[in-house]
Amino acid sequence: MANLAEMLEQDLEEAFEVKDKKSLHRFVASLTENIVQKSAFDQHITELKSDVKILAETMKKGFEAIDKRFEAVDKRFEDLYRYMDKRFESVDKRFEDMNSRFEDMNKRFEDMGKRFNMMFTFMNLGFGIIILLTILFKFLQ
């Protein structure tokens, strides 16, 4: 950098009429302070690129870990869903068993209802015949 500053200072002195050499020296010094050498720039860029690569790889690994966690959570929910389905199926079977029991009881009550109807019919017929016979006996006497 010092060589660049000296070269610029000499070239400017030869190209222009210099009134104040200290001012020219300060200008060239401030100009060369802000100029970055290509090798240093390239080195910084390659370091930056490698840092970005490392960051990208780290992010990729993090996303893969998150994906694995989501897959595990999905699997747990699927297992829970299957378990709940099995529980509901067992409850449904119990209700079906209860329904069949109620159907059996309904059949028994229907059979008993038919028996009572027949019994009442025969009783009514019997009473009717008894009443008819008593009326006939009373009438014939």
Side-chain angles (χ1 to χ4, degrees), residues 8 33 40-41 52 70 99 101 104 112 119 128-129 131 139 141:
L8 279 174
E33 280 178 12
F41 177 74
V52 169
F70 276 129
N99 284 341
R101 288 182 195 162
D104 291 343
M112 285 176 62
M119 185 179 72
I129 292 173
I131 292 172
F139 184 69
Q141 269 183 355

Side-chain angles (χ1 to χ4, degrees), residues 55-114:
L55 185 63
E57 288 174 10
T58 305
M59 286 177 63
K60 184 178 179 182
K61 289 178 183 176
F63 286 134
E64 288 172 355
I66 289 172
D67 287 344
K68 286 180 184 177
R69 275 194 251 150
F70 276 129
E71 288 172 2
V73 168
D74 285 346
K75 187 179 182 300
R76 279 192 2 228
F77 276 120
E78 287 173 3
D79 292 344
L80 181 65
Y81 180 72
R82 285 189 206 111
Y83 173 74
M84 292 299 289
D85 278 348
K86 287 179 183 177
R87 292 288 306 255
F88 282 125
E89 286 173 4
S90 67
V91 168
D92 286 346
K93 284 181 183 178
R94 276 196 252 156
F95 278 121
E96 287 173 4
D97 291 343
M98 294 286 283
N99 284 341
S100 66
R101 288 182 195 162
F102 282 125
E103 287 173 3
D104 291 343
M105 288 179 70
N106 284 340
K107 286 180 184 177
R108 285 186 210 145
F109 281 120
E110 286 174 5
D111 291 343
M112 285 176 62
K114 287 179 184 177

Side-chain angles (χ1 to χ4, degrees), residues 2-15:
N3 290 340
L4 178 64
E6 288 175 10
M7 285 175 40
L8 279 174
E9 198 172 334
Q10 286 176 0
D11 287 344
L12 286 173
E13 274 183 44
E14 291 173 5

